[in-house]
Amino acid sequence: FELATASGEAVTCGCLICYDIEFPEPSRALALQGAELLLVPTALGEGDVEMATPLNVVPTRALENHVHIIYSNLEGGADAAERPGQSGVPSFCG
């Protein structure tokens, strides 16, 4: 879908959910379909393995596919699991 920016230009977006970002294929498919921006809501828990996703995997997906990513992870303890946050906007530009 396209999202209008404040300047009136459009950005082609694609959406992934949570675990989709862990694998290269869903991001690649959206990039090949023209997505410039990937939107990724998620609810990862806390722990060493879980922290690898926002800190390592998400920036890698941006670089692999030359896209920008808005990665939004829950923060706090709204349920039984503690959520660390670590939301970010990694770019293939660094």
Side-chain angles (χ1 to χ4, degrees):
F1 67 93
E2 289 194 350
L3 183 65
T5 65
S7 65
E9 296 178 38
V11 175
T12 304
C13 300
C15 291
L16 298 173
I17 56 167
C18 204
Y19 200 49
D20 291 344
I21 198 70
E22 303 275 343
F23 305 97
E25 292 84 1
S27 301
R28 178 60 49 95
L30 290 173
L32 289 173
Q33 292 174 39
E36 303 166 89
L37 173 66
L38 301 181
L39 307 172
V40 186
T42 188
L44 284 179
E46 207 163 6
D48 292 340
V49 173
E50 290 82 357
M51 293 306 289
T53 299
L55 300 177
N56 300 316
V57 175
V58 176
T60 299
R61 297 292 168 259
L63 180 62
E64 289 171 340
N65 297 296
H66 292 236
V67 296
H68 302 281
I69 298 176
I70 296 178
Y71 180 81
S72 178
N73 192 37
L74 288 176
E75 183 175 8
D79 55 12
E82 191 65 28
R83 309 286 182 200
Q86 296 296 322
S87 297
V89 185
S91 168
F92 66 91
C93 301

